[in-house]
Amino acid sequence: MTVGGALSRMIRASADRRTGDAEERCDLCGAPIAADHRHLYDTNRAEALCACRACSVLFVEDRAGDGHYRLVPQRRVRLPEIETGPLGVPVGLAFFVPRTDGTVTAHYPSPAGATRWEVDADAWQQTVTKCRELAGVEPEVEALLVNTAWSQRQHWIVPLDDCFRLVALVRREWRGLSGGGRIWPAVEQFFAELTERP
């Protein structure tokens, strides 16, 4: 997954909101879009695209566009605590994206963007066995989002665009080598504002 498309726009949009500039536009048709717009996952370029309501409706069916674009779901599910150590998580803030080929990539937000590594397939299957809700994560467009930093115990199934928002937040708020005083309150607020959605 690259973070160029949607992530770059989220970072720019955050800066633009401070100055009152720039209207966001649909990446497919160029129409102005609302702040709460949907996203499409471009399977060819492995990035998220902003979509207006009319364009997003075209991709409600997975087979639309020969699978080139996938509509990112909106559901969020709070999970019980999951043991993520076997997944090789070196930090307390990470997200795991299953792929259509059966692999799982893990990412953690950093000041430079999202760092990525492959998850051991057996470790992922053992985790799914212990938390059956993970078997229903939609490949490419949903993720297991984990926050165990500073003794937090947050585990969610979220749409991929929530993960992009978190990466954008970390890039925007990080200061110095350790993150500074703004990053962890901002991450805490991000998780406090997550709400379950069917």
Side-chain angles (χ1 to χ4, degrees):
M1 170 180 64
T2 64
V3 290
L7 176 57
S8 295
R9 282 187 299 282
M10 286 180 188
I11 294 168
R12 282 195 307 274
S14 176
D16 291 340
R17 275 194 292 276
R18 292 180 189 153
T19 60
D21 297 340
E23 178 178 49
E24 282 196 89
R25 297 197 165 270
C26 176
D27 285 321
L28 296 181
C29 72
I33 53 177
D36 63 346
H37 61 273
R38 301 288 301 270
H39 291 99
L40 298 173
Y41 181 74
D42 183 335
T43 59
N44 289 353
R45 296 188 314 185
E47 69 178 18
L49 304 172
C50 298
C52 67
R53 180 169 171 72
C55 287
S56 66
V57 168
L58 297 173
F59 298 96
V60 169
E61 294 293 324
D62 282 342
R63 292 181 301 274
D66 290 328
H68 180 118
Y69 297 111
R70 301 227 9 241
L71 186 63
V72 176
Q74 293 183 297
R75 81 173 177 134
R76 290 189 192 124
V77 179
R78 187 176 188 126
L79 299 172
E81 187 173 338
I82 299 170
E83 175 53 52
T84 54
L87 298 176
V89 181
V91 294
L93 190 60
F95 57 96
F96 302 84
V97 183
R99 302 293 176 194
T100 53
D101 65 4
T103 63
V104 177
T105 54
H107 309 261
Y108 61 90
S110 77
T115 302
R116 171 185 171 163
W117 74 96
E118 295 293 320
V119 173
D120 178 73
D122 290 337
W124 177 257
Q125 284 309 313
Q126 289 173 15
T127 303
V128 170
T129 299
K130 293 175 183 173
C131 181
R132 297 306 302 165
E133 293 96 329
L134 294 177
V137 173
E138 285 193 46
E140 313 287 351
V141 292
E142 287 186 317
L144 164 63
L145 176 62
V146 175
N147 179 16
T148 58
W150 300 99
S151 301
Q152 295 293 308
R153 296 292 178 258
Q154 305 251 3
H155 300 82
W156 289 81
I157 294 172
V158 297
L160 191 61
D161 50 7
D162 277 350
C163 299
F164 278 20
R165 285 190 313 109
L166 180 60
V167 172
L169 179 145
V170 169
R171 285 191 67 179
R172 186 184 68 231
E173 300 297 338
W174 193 278
R175 300 291 182 272
L177 294 175
S178 63
R182 293 171 29 176
I183 184 62
W184 294 112
V187 168
E188 187 175 323
Q189 181 177 349
F190 175 90
F191 278 90
E193 291 174 357
L194 287 181
T195 55
E196 289 199 276
R197 295 188 304 218

